[in-house]
Amino acid sequence: MSQEIEIEFKNNLTKKQYEELLSSFHIADEMILRQTNHYFDTPTWHLKNQASGLRIRETKEKIVCTLKEKTSKHTHLETTDVLTKEQADSMLNGNAFLAPTVKEKLIQIKVPIDQLAVFGSLTTDRVEIPYMGGTLVFDHSFYLNRDDYEVEYEANDEKIGAQIFEEFLKKFNIEKQIADKKIARFMQALNAER
């Protein structure tokens, strides 16, 4: 189990901007890692209504269950449990909730665990590189027959991180277009298809 504060800044990219950034930073194919997020909520959107998100993330290296709770505009408290493949499968199939620390936190914020269900999945090809004391992230996500691109900057300090990210966008002539969280973009796409 771990708990950490995540400070991140996001901006939408066009496919061309994404490809230009990969080229500018000399990103080789083997540096691009695939991850899949499976999103949970209740039928009455307990988590969404609290500006929170719950996901299981699968990568080649590990599987984790993470609860994200918004604490300020660019900051989230993340509570995470590492899962085995069997535990993840059981949770994805709605058989049991096997992330103990996340479960404890969900109970604290009054989310009915027995009503949680997966409402969709989103796959991202991700690159993470060190940049100016933080981490620069280039993402290409695909879900519900859509593709989108974004850049993130993860920092240890909200004020300094905001300044570094502003300068990064200016340096690469990227118009400021604040990106929603992946879960929010997924929900918008899901609602558009209904």
Side-chain angles (χ1 to χ4, degrees):
M1 183 288 283
S2 73
Q3 258 194 336
E4 63 184 26
I5 297 292
E6 177 189 61
I7 302 169
E8 69 179 5
F9 304 87
K10 295 169 159 283
N11 203 80
N12 291 321
L13 297 173
T14 63
K15 182 178 184 189
K16 184 174 186 281
Q17 289 169 329
Y18 171 82
E19 289 170 347
E20 285 171 354
L21 287 171
L22 293 187
S23 176
S24 295
F25 285 88
H26 311 289
I27 303 301
D29 287 348
E30 59 272 12
M31 294 170 72
I32 301 172
L33 304 174
R34 180 159 287 184
Q35 63 186 34
T36 300
N37 291 341
H38 307 283
Y39 297 114
F40 291 78
D41 209 330
T42 66
T44 54
W45 307 109
H46 277 81
L47 289 158
K48 180 183 175 197
N49 293 335
Q50 296 185 50
S52 297
L54 178 65
R55 69 169 185 235
I56 287 179
R57 173 174 284 170
E58 294 186 72
T59 65
K60 216 175 359 180
E61 290 79 38
K62 65 181 177 179
I63 304 172
V64 295
C65 178
T66 301
L67 171 66
K68 281 188 165 197
E69 299 170 273
K70 190 169 192 144
T71 56
S72 76
K73 186 176 179 184
H74 296 286
T75 307
H76 290 80
L77 173 64
E78 291 189 347
T79 304
T80 301
D81 285 310
V82 177
L83 302 175
T84 65
K85 179 83 173 105
E86 293 72 28
Q87 289 171 320
D89 288 346
S90 185
M91 288 176 67
L92 292 169
N93 292 325
N95 298 331
F97 197 91
L98 302 169
T101 313
V102 172
K103 184 176 185 176
E104 196 176 294
K105 199 82 168 102
L106 289 168
I107 291 167
Q108 285 174 17
I109 62 172
K110 298 182 176 25
V111 174
I113 292 169
D114 59 333
Q115 292 180 31
L116 287 169
V118 176
F119 62 83
S121 301
L122 176 148
T123 298
T124 301
D125 285 342
R126 168 168 280 194
V127 175
E128 294 185 12
I129 54 173
Y131 183 80
M132 305 286 290
T135 304
L136 200 54
V137 180
F138 305 131
D139 279 348
H140 171 204
S141 297
F142 28 104
Y143 52 98
L144 302 173
N145 299 314
R146 295 169 189 239
D147 282 69
D148 66 36
Y149 303 87
E150 70 182 311
V151 59
E152 294 180 11
Y153 183 64
E154 297 174 2
N156 296 319
D157 178 281
E158 194 166 346
K159 191 174 175 187
I160 294 168
Q163 186 180 343
I164 290 169
F165 193 58
E166 265 317 302
E167 289 167 6
F168 169 84
L169 294 177
K170 280 183 193 157
K171 179 178 179 179
F172 289 95
N173 296 314
I174 297 169
E175 182 185 339
K176 199 169 186 178
Q177 288 186 306
I178 297 167
D180 287 330
K181 290 250 173 240
K182 286 178 182 63
I183 191 169
R185 297 198 312 266
F186 180 90
M187 290 302 300
Q188 286 166 1
L190 188 62
N191 290 333
E193 290 199 354
R194 288 185 176 163

